[in-house]
């Protein structure tokens, strides 16, 4: 029997209070790793009206002016005018940092007799904590991401772009997007609802009436934001698609003035929009020894290459770790009945062809050195608009360079049907 259902995902702009915190945390991480690639970082940020609090545990030889890092990032996001209730130049920035606990640090501390990129060394460096991580990929979009979160991110990025270029100069930094996709038998067939909530000035030019202001915003967002986003996609809005803009009637007071923010509070936005499971660990502000981050990237890399190789239409990979232990405690693969071969075969391919020890992941993706190699910024660029499916960034875990290897390895197995 044919099955039809709706699935919804959301995104937020870089000016959302929680995303401000994620970006400051990762800007701190970038700065520390640029100076000292061995820095241990767990940077947490809180924002509220006129206030930024930087806290957490950091052990590093780097010398960093944390106040300047925060102010620079806030200005880049767009909070440069006190009328927003939160301004890069006037907000208070408090810093309360400790060093990493030695009891935790010993889980990843290791002797240095072996080469740092050797198999022996990879076995010596344990995970920085216990935990579970998931990675996912599907063939709904060219970037192998679920369509609802892909569209939500596209609209959020476009919303920020038209604000920053001045095309819609009345927009302010805070915003949220949400897209509901209609599915038929597991495939996206239509756009049911598009929701945009965007902070804006109280008036637009000579328009002062609240109803007229909202009508102007809705019309502008459709032509300047929504239509360009769907230009290259087969599934598009139609006459039955609902388009909701600022459903409360207005959105003038936003950002940290409207709501407090906290690092790590948008983990579903950061990943797959709820389409896939999540291990619960946040990414931002954490150096690569934290498997919450690095192993989640490795899971995505494995799942994406399996789908890119045509071995499944959907693939979810789970890893689990014990603190101080290098090799995963468990590995799970689920293709939800879409695999061209059984999941046990795919599990063996992952075990044979993907590096899943924390030190090996760090080495394979060059996670310690990417900030310095890319001009002092890397992690802060994935702190908004998602860590996965980013076609605008060259992310090592988004590459599909193992797809052909997987197909070749599978075709060498005599008991397995060849994959074209």
């Amino acid at each position: 029997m044919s099955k039809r259902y709706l699935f919804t995902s959301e995104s937020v702009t870089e000016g959302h209070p929680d995303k401000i915190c994620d970006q400051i945390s990762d800007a701190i991480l970038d700065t520390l790793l640029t100076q000292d690639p061995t820095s241990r970082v767990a940077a947490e940020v809180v924002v509220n009206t006129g206030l930024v609090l930087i806290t957490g545990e950091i052990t590093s030889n780097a010398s960093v002016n944390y106040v300047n890092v925060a102010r620079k990032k806030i200005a880049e996001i767009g909070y440069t005018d006190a009328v927003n209730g939160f301004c890069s130049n006037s907000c208070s920035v408090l810093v309360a940092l400790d060093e990493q606990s030695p009891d935790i640090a010993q889980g990843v501390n290791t002797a240095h007799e072996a080469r740092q990129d050797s198999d022996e060394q990879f076995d010596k460096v344990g995970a920085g904590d216990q935990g579970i991580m998931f990675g996912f990929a599907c063939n709904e979009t060219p970037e192998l991401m679920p369509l609802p979160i892909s569209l939500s991110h596209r609209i959020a990025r476009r919303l920020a772009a038209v604000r920053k270029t001045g095309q819609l100069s009345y927009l302010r930094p805070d915003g949220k997007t949400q897209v509901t996709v209609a599915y038929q038998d597991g495939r996206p067939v239509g756009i049911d609802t598009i929701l945009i909530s965007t902070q804006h000035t109280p008036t637009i030019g000579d328009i002062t009436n609240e109803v007229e202001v909202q009508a102007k915003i809705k019309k502008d967002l459709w032509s300047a934001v929504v239509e360009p986003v769907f230009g290259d996609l087969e599934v598009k809005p139609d006459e039955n698609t609902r388009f909701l803009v600022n459903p409360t009637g207005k959105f003038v007071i936003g950002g940290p003035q409207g709501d407090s923010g906290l690092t790590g509070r948008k983990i579903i936005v950061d990943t797959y929009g709820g389409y896939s499971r999540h291990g619960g660990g946040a990414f931002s502000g954490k150096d690569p020894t934290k498997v919450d981050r690095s192993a989640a990237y490795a899971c995505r890399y494995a799942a994406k290459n399996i789908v890119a190789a045509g071995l499944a239409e959907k693939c979810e990979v789970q890893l689990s770790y014990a603190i101080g232990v290098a090799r995963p405690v468990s590995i799970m693969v689920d293709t939800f009945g879409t695999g061209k071969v059984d999941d046990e075969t795919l599990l063996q391919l992952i075990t044979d062809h993907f590096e899943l020890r924390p030190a090996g992941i760090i080495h394979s993706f060059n996670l310690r050195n990417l900030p310095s190699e890319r001009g002092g910024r890397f992690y802060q660029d994935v702190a908004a608009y998602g860590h996965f499916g980013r076609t605008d960034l060259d992310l090592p875990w988004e590459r599909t360079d193992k797809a052909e290897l997987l197909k070749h390895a599978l075709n060498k197995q005599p008991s397995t049907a060849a994959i074209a």
Side-chain angles (χ1 to χ4, degrees), residues 147-160:
L147 184 60
I149 189 65
S150 177
L151 290 174
S152 296
H153 284 325
R154 280 188 176 213
I155 293 172
R157 287 172 57 192
R158 179 69 183 172
L159 190 62

Side-chain angles (χ1 to χ4, degrees), residues 145 270-272 283 296-297 300 385-390 397-398:
M145 287 287 286
D270 286 341
T271 52
Y272 307 101
F283 300 156
Y297 293 163
R300 163 65 175 173
Y385 311 117
H387 292 242
F388 307 118
R390 297 293 295 271
W397 55 87
E398 287 296 308

Side-chain angles (χ1 to χ4, degrees), residues 4 194 212 265:
R4 184 179 177 88
I194 299 169
E212 293 178 357
R265 204 158 55 182

Side-chain angles (χ1 to χ4, degrees), residues 57 118 121 203 221 316 407 416:
E57 296 80 41
S118 67
Q121 186 72 6
T203 61
L221 290 184
E316 183 180 78
K407 288 194 287 185
T416 304

Side-chain angles (χ1 to χ4, degrees), residues 42 57 100 103-108 125-133 281-282 286-295 319-329 358:
E57 296 80 41
Q100 185 182 39
D103 292 343
I104 296 174
Q106 68 181 349
V108 291
V125 180
D129 200 353
Q130 70 177 53
I132 57 175
M133 303 85 210
K286 297 178 180 178
D287 75 83
T289 66
K290 277 72 171 176
V291 283
D292 277 340
R293 180 169 218 157
S294 53
L319 297 176
S320 70
Y321 291 87
I323 187 169
V325 180
R327 297 185 182 273
V329 172

